[in-house]
Amino acid sequence: MTEYDLVIIGGGPAGLAAAVAARKAGLESILILERDNELGGILNQCIHNGFGLHTFREELTGPEYAGRFREQVQELRIPYKLNTMVLDLAADKTVTAMNGEDGLFCLHPKAVVLAMGCRERPRGALNIPGYRPAGIYTAGTAQRLVNMEGYLPGRNVVILGSGDIGLIMARRMTLEGAKVHVVAELMPYSGGLKRNIVQCLDDYGIPLKLSHTVVDIQGKERVEGVTLARVENGKPVPGTEEHYPCDTLLLSCGLIPENELSRGAGVEINPVTNGPLVSDTLETSIPGVFAAGNVLHVHDLVDYVSQEAAAAGENAARYIRSGGTGTGRAVPVRCDGGVRYTVPASVRLSDLDPEQTVTVRFRVGNVYQNKRILVYAGDAPIYRRKARVLAPGEMETLGLKAKDLLEHPEAEQILVTLEDA
Amino acid sequence: MKKVNLICIGCPLGCPLVVEMEGSEIRSVTGNTCKNGDAYARKELTNPTRIITSTVRVTGGTLPVVSVKTASDVPKGKIFDCVRALKDLCLSAPVVTGQVVAADIAGTGADVIATKDIDKI
């Protein structure tokens, strides 16, 4: 088996952007491993528009966005293997994979980019009582059935969870002739983007019931109905039950980064994001193993996945060129005031170029209004920005000037927090 | 002076827009972070339109359906006419990205184009 300097695990938006950026940074020897039969990952089933406004300055559908990156991969002659399942990643970066052509094989790259994406939280993880009839799908499964395989999974639909895929599927099923009766959301706010509530629910008169959940599923062979109830303090309120006859229940209840391979290699995982803990170069706790995209933390926009993955690809190329990781002290990035996590979790201050920008992405744990986002290096404020609205469904991005961070070389920590404006 | 709150759907940022109106006349749009937000607000309050995305049947291809979109936006009230017009359409593979699948869909003046390549098997 030919050996490669950089192996990228996953050929979705993150893997493709990482590969393109690594090649543009001068790295010759790159291989992408993809388990599906085409490149592009989840974008292939996201046929709606709204992708690429930041990256390409035009509004593309998912397949078109994937197509732009696929073209670049082909133009740059970056090799890839489809229908290839990575079985194991070892701490020494040995990648064990298999496919129908090569059989079982091992690769020994100098660096790895983890770009495996995420998967949906299934019914089994939600503790919904009731039988297990046919007709219960995750929203993403229904999306694949409708948009790629040409099946309509049901005609009378209730959706639990207001994540973006659920909202998008409410519209999609409606356009395909199904009746979407209601979208129920456990939390008092939506987990999806505001624009999706406007153009997927409001446009079609589909009600969104916040603080509601499914308390019963009826039907033995096929779903015959579901019962919703209002939720207070995390518990269904007796007497608020409403019955909805339906044949299909779609679940859009969160995404979980897919880190079995990372865990197997011993990569340290952040319990908040379920993704690897990374430094400002997106390097995990194993030197030479980088992570980007939804395997690192769940993104709201693919444009941000592409940006992050491009950085990971460039950093992996630099790691290979220089033969190792920087030796600077890793200053931890901590969060407070409603900020749930940050990516990165640490910054190697002394390795920073004074001219560069350190990108910090984070999400909040609740809906906040009229706040100020503040970043401190030690005790010194180095960044502030007003935020009219912050919501858990939307990722925030800060660009910290390295020069500001470097003015505080002794800082014990970098703190990202919210304060009242 | 009347104030209308809108959420821009131009991109996933979803900027909260405030439109000041004098009767049916738009006086100002604020809250947008790019020029698309201004244009969206003016259009949404006079002639709301949407890009429609859907799928069309394909025979002889690697997949049984191809994803499509309207090449320009169509009036909101015409959405169902457009998807109905696509329902019985059937294409033969190969289909290439950008190929016109249906011209002037439902009399809106917008063409429907493929957004994905479907190779012949």
Side-chain angles (χ1 to χ4, degrees):
Chain A
M1 181 65 54
T2 316
E3 291 287 352
Y4 296 86
D5 286 347
L6 174 61
V7 168
I8 295 170
I9 305 177
L16 298 181
V20 167
R23 172 59 57 83
K24 285 181 176 166
L27 187 65
E28 274 303 310
S29 171
I30 305 170
L31 178 68
I32 305 169
L33 300 176
E34 166 57 41
R35 69 180 167 194
D36 208 343
N37 59 11
E38 60 181 341
L39 294 175
I42 204 70
L43 286 170
N44 290 317
Q45 69 180 57
C46 297
I47 66 162
H48 54 282
N49 62 326
F51 301 92
L53 218 66
H54 297 265
T55 312
F56 298 111
R57 305 248 164 248
E58 55 182 310
E59 196 166 332
L60 302 173
T61 64
E64 291 172 310
Y65 188 95
R68 297 286 175 98
F69 275 94
R70 210 157 32 218
E71 278 165 24
Q72 291 186 58
V73 164
Q74 277 153 3
E75 272 165 27
L76 294 167
R77 297 182 185 283
I78 299 171
Y80 54 88
K81 285 181 186 292
L82 302 176
N83 302 306
T84 302
M85 189 71 193
V86 175
L87 302 173
D88 184 64
L89 172 67
D92 68 356
K93 299 192 280 280
T94 299
V95 176
T96 307
M98 68 187 296
N99 64 31
E101 260 171 51
D102 305 300
L104 186 70
F105 59 95
C106 286
L107 297 166
H108 306 84
K110 293 173 183 162
V112 171
V113 174
L114 305 173
M116 293 89 78
C118 60
R119 60 175 166 232
E120 297 174 280
R121 185 167 283 132
R123 180 190 175 178
L126 296 172
N127 295 325
I128 307 170
Y131 277 104
R132 270 138 185 76
I136 305 172
Y137 302 87
T138 60
T141 300
Q143 190 179 41
R144 186 172 174 106
L145 288 172
V146 175
N147 292 347
M148 294 181 73
E149 304 190 11
Y151 297 108
L152 187 62
R155 299 209 168 269
N156 280 289
V157 186
V158 169
I159 300 179
L160 174 62
S162 61
D164 287 310
I165 314 168
L167 300 175
I168 294 284
M169 282 313 292
R171 173 178 64 183
R172 187 72 193 107
M173 298 285 285
T174 304
L175 290 181
E176 284 298 316
K179 168 80 184 157
V180 179
H181 296 275
V182 64
V183 176
E185 167 61 53
L186 177 68
M187 304 304 287
Y189 49 80
S190 164
L193 296 167
K194 288 176 293 228
R195 77 187 296 248
N196 285 335
I197 296 182
V198 173
Q199 59 179 355
C200 297
L201 300 188
D202 298 352
D203 273 7
Y204 299 93
I206 300 167
L208 171 62
K209 292 200 155 222
L210 299 173
S211 301
H212 276 72
T213 193
V214 172
V215 291
D216 188 37
I217 300 171
Q218 294 96 35
K220 207 162 179 182
E221 298 299 322
R222 176 81 198 192
V223 173
E224 289 169 7
V226 301
T227 305
L228 300 185
R230 192 154 53 78
V231 174
E232 265 174 32
N233 304 320
K235 292 233 166 71
V237 180
T240 62
E241 295 88 354
E242 283 173 278
H243 179 68
Y244 287 86
C246 63
D247 56 28
T248 304
L249 175 66
L250 299 188
L251 305 171
S252 178
C253 302
L255 300 166
I256 306 164
E258 197 168 346
N259 275 295
E260 282 77 6
L261 292 173
S262 326
R263 284 199 179 88
V267 165
E268 277 180 52
I269 301 289
N270 181 341
V272 178
T273 57
N274 285 309
L277 285 163
V278 294
S279 70
D280 55 297
T281 58
L282 303 170
E283 190 175 32
T284 67
S285 59
I286 299 181
V289 176
F290 298 80
N294 280 354
V295 79
L296 177 54
H297 58 137
V298 176
H299 291 60
D300 50 354
L301 265 68
V302 72
D303 297 76
Y304 298 149
V305 168
S306 299
Q307 285 170 13
E308 185 177 270
E314 282 164 19
N315 293 334
R318 188 177 307 123
Y319 172 91
I320 291 165
R321 202 165 50 234
S322 63
T325 307
T327 49
R329 181 173 67 97
V331 179
V333 183
R334 306 219 188 276
C335 49
D336 198 6
V339 178
R340 282 182 66 226
Y341 73 88
T342 62
V343 167
S346 64
V347 176
R348 285 184 195 279
L349 277 188
S350 48
D351 294 343
L352 295 181
D353 172 347
E355 297 306 313
Q356 82 172 92
T357 303
V358 177
T359 302
V360 175
R361 304 188 200 278
F362 70 88
R363 282 191 195 244
V364 294
N366 209 329
V367 178
Y368 296 102
Q369 291 193 335
N370 296 321
K371 289 280 181 178
R372 192 175 281 142
I373 301 166
L374 271 130
V375 182
Y376 295 90
D379 296 327
I382 57 159
Y383 178 96
R384 77 178 64 209
R385 188 181 85 201
K386 269 192 190 161
R388 257 175 78 188
V389 182
L390 293 155
E394 307 192 16
M395 202 174 76
E396 298 293 329
T397 303
L398 311 176
L400 304 182
K401 289 189 181 120
K403 151 167 98 27
D404 295 338
L405 285 165
L406 290 169
E407 279 175 21
H408 308 280
E410 301 307 318
E412 287 294 312
Q413 65 167 28
I414 296 160
L415 178 71
V416 180
T417 188
L418 303 182
E419 290 174 11
D420 288 327
Chain B
M1 189 90 78
K2 191 174 78 171
K3 276 190 183 178
V4 182
N5 290 300
L6 290 176
I7 286 166
C8 180
I9 62 166
C11 83
L13 281 180
C15 294
L17 308 177
V18 182
V19 186
E20 287 192 333
M21 297 188 75
E22 192 88 61
S24 61
E25 200 180 319
I26 294 165
R27 282 296 165 89
S28 72
V29 179
T30 49
N32 52 314
T33 47
C34 76
K35 62 178 185 346
N36 296 344
D38 187 272
Y40 169 76
R42 289 171 196 281
K43 216 161 147 196
E44 187 68 8
L45 292 173
T46 50
N47 172 33
T49 60
R50 296 287 185 267
I51 296 276
I52 305 174
T53 60
S54 189
T55 52
V56 169
R57 296 258 156 210
V58 181
T59 53
T62 48
L63 287 174
V65 289
V66 62
S67 54
V68 300
K69 69 173 181 184
T70 53
S72 53
D73 35 5
V74 300
K76 235 168 99 170
K78 288 271 190 181
I79 291 176
F80 281 97
D81 293 340
C82 293
V83 287
R84 253 180 243 121
L86 291 174
K87 187 170 165 275
D88 297 317
L89 210 59
C90 192
L91 308 171
S92 303
V95 181
V96 294
T97 305
Q99 176 181 328
V100 176
V101 166
D104 184 17
I105 189 80
T108 56
D111 290 345
V112 173
I113 60 172
T115 57
K116 187 177 166 67
D117 295 346
I118 300 289
D119 296 335
K120 211 170 165 170
I121 32 171

